[in-house]
Amino acid sequence: MPTKPITPPAVDQAATAQSSTSTGLRSLGAAMVVILLGELLLGMANALWLQLPDSGSGWAAGSSSGLLGIHMLLGLALVVLAIWIAVAAVRGRDRTWLTASIVGVVGILLAFGSGLAFMGQTSNNVASFCMALGCALAIAGYTHGLYRIPTNSH
């Protein structure tokens, strides 16, 4: 009895590429949530242990603090990673991750700018609040990307 040749199933290259991009974005989004939580903890540790003047610039007092240095470097790394994720979402045409990354970038930039404002004037309680608000906004954005409900187009 003659056998039929087995043909492999057709592969949708566009769907495979989008799935790969989405998986990569999910990994980066999960990493961002973990890093943001670490940054939040570093910020709380600085609030507890860093001795800053009641008013005026905090740069002189904070310049010798390794904890503040780590907090600032991690904040700068978060800005770079947030922009990287946003660019990847645009290139991958992933609307959910584009929305999540825009919210994340806005939150991280709010926190970063507020941190600079706070160190310039340590009596600026609004800047301190906006650091925490920006971090929460970024965590919410990336969490949205992680917990979206996938849609099937089949």
Side-chain angles (χ1 to χ4, degrees):
M1 176 170 187
T3 61
K4 286 186 176 181
I6 299 174
T7 58
V11 176
D12 184 359
Q13 295 294 332
T16 303
Q18 179 141 8
S19 174
S20 174
T21 301
S22 185
T23 300
L25 287 169
R26 284 183 65 80
S27 297
L28 287 171
M32 284 297 278
V33 170
V34 171
I35 295 168
L36 282 161
L37 290 171
E39 182 73 341
L40 181 64
L41 292 173
L42 280 170
M44 291 187 318
N46 275 296
L48 288 173
W49 294 305
L50 184 61
Q51 298 297 317
L52 294 174
D54 290 337
S55 66
S57 176
W59 291 113
S63 65
S64 63
S65 170
L67 195 60
L68 180 61
I70 293 168
H71 183 60
M72 290 171 42
L73 284 174
L74 191 56
L76 188 58
L78 282 166
V79 170
V80 171
L81 286 170
I83 293 169
W84 184 4
I85 292 172
V87 168
V90 168
R91 285 185 169 177
R93 294 186 176 106
D94 189 319
R95 292 180 64 123
T96 299
W97 275 106
L98 182 57
T99 302
S101 65
I102 288 171
V103 172
V105 167
V106 168
I108 289 169
L109 290 176
L110 174 63
F112 191 82
S114 298
L116 293 175
F118 178 78
M119 288 304 290
Q121 180 53 260
T122 60
S123 64
N124 188 346
N125 292 330
V126 172
S128 182
F129 173 76
C130 285
M131 278 189 281
L133 180 64
C135 187
L137 184 63
I139 289 171
Y142 293 114
T143 302
H144 166 73
L146 290 172
Y147 291 103
R148 69 180 174 176
I149 299 172
T151 57
N152 265 339
S153 59
H154 294 73

